[in-house]
Amino acid sequence: SSSSSSSSSVHTQQPRPKLSREIAKVWASIRSIVSQLKKHPASKAFIEPIDSNASFAREYARVIKKPMNLREISHRLEKNGPGFSRIYKAPREMFDDVCLVWRNARTFNPKGHWICEQVDVLEEAFESMWLSSQIDVRWASANNLPYPEELVDAKKKKKIRAGGVGRWRRKMEAELQLATAEVQATVMSRLEGKWLCNPRNFGYITIKGNEGIYA
């Protein structure tokens, strides 16, 4: 019976799941984003936890029930590496922790305070890096999940709740058409000459290298 119990215990032990190559790349991109955030000139006040000897430390602890900082987020991301139990099960969990940093700063400091101004700068930089890295899209693709909604409405500059409906973006994409020859000629004449670039959005006009001009 001892041999059967030992063999059953062996079979009940599940191997640690391995990260697929694409999922590992997503987490690497996220670590890079946090690393860039920590190097940002506006990030100094958000890297370390609040100094317990600071004059406002006791009041901060009373007001802020879930403190968070960029160093702690980096530490949690390190725990997502091979051989560790993963603290973040999905990128959105890490995204929420970063948003908690911003929310805590805005909760404790009055509107217009320089800390809140720094938060505005960092938040915009973070969301820009997140979207340009296509974290949600790549994660969904690697896990065979439904295509995610954008986190930020690029036109209205408003956050879209997770799982919300990005109707504006889908409407714009559905209505995207090649500009008329007259509009193309006008824009090209202003640009004067050959040029190459990645797609760039200017209001309702998207410039796409020499391949065409979309309006």
Side-chain angles (χ1 to χ4, degrees):
S1 59
S2 60
S3 61
S4 61
S5 62
S6 61
S7 61
S8 62
S9 64
V10 171
H11 288 296
T12 55
Q13 292 178 356
Q14 297 296 326
R16 189 183 302 276
K18 294 182 179 180
L19 288 172
S20 73
R21 180 177 298 180
E22 290 306 314
I23 291 177
K25 286 181 179 179
V26 172
W27 286 117
S29 295
I30 291 174
R31 291 187 187 93
S32 176
I33 289 173
V34 175
S35 177
Q36 291 179 67
L37 267 183
K38 290 164 67 177
K39 294 176 183 177
H40 195 288
S43 70
K44 186 175 181 179
F46 311 100
I47 295 177
E48 302 289 340
I50 297 297
D51 186 351
S52 59
N53 294 321
S55 58
F56 58 87
R58 181 175 297 180
E59 178 67 10
Y60 188 89
R62 185 186 69 81
V63 174
I64 303 300
K65 302 304 181 183
K66 292 180 64 177
M68 184 56 61
N69 57 79
L70 296 179
R71 188 184 72 175
E72 173 61 23
I73 293 172
S74 292
H75 175 70
R76 293 184 178 189
L77 283 171
E78 289 173 4
K79 292 292 186 181
N80 268 50
F84 292 98
S85 60
R86 296 164 200 160
I87 294 179
Y88 293 130
K89 307 301 182 186
R92 287 284 186 157
E93 296 178 7
M94 173 269 174
F95 185 93
D96 289 343
D97 270 354
V98 175
C99 290
L100 180 60
V101 176
W102 315 148
R103 187 162 63 251
N104 286 346
R106 291 183 174 123
T107 298
F108 188 74
N109 298 282
K111 187 176 181 180
H113 193 279
W114 69 270
I115 284 287
C116 296
E117 294 177 353
Q118 300 291 70
V119 166
D120 291 341
V121 173
L122 282 174
E123 183 178 44
E124 184 175 352
F126 171 63
E127 291 179 348
S128 176
M129 288 188 287
W130 189 273
L131 290 174
S132 63
S133 298
Q134 296 185 313
I135 299 298
D136 291 318
V137 174
R138 291 162 57 198
W139 180 261
S141 176
N143 290 278
N144 296 317
L145 298 173
Y147 189 86
E149 300 296 341
E150 295 284 9
L151 295 178
V152 177
D153 185 319
K155 184 174 177 62
K156 297 180 181 178
K157 295 295 183 182
K158 292 182 179 179
K159 293 179 186 176
I160 298 174
R161 295 178 60 185
V165 180
R167 286 187 289 268
W168 174 82
R169 179 168 291 277
R170 287 204 295 270
K171 181 175 182 291
M172 288 295 297
E173 290 176 349
E175 295 177 354
L176 196 65
Q177 297 178 351
L178 188 64
T180 63
E182 182 180 358
V183 172
Q184 292 188 45
T186 301
V187 176
M188 292 300 289
S189 65
R190 295 294 179 89
L191 293 172
E192 295 182 352
K194 294 182 178 181
W195 43 277
L196 294 171
C197 69
N198 294 324
R200 292 290 183 268
N201 294 315
F202 302 97
Y204 286 99
I205 296 180
T206 298
I207 305 297
K208 194 178 181 183
N210 280 334
E211 299 176 12
I213 301 168
Y214 294 79

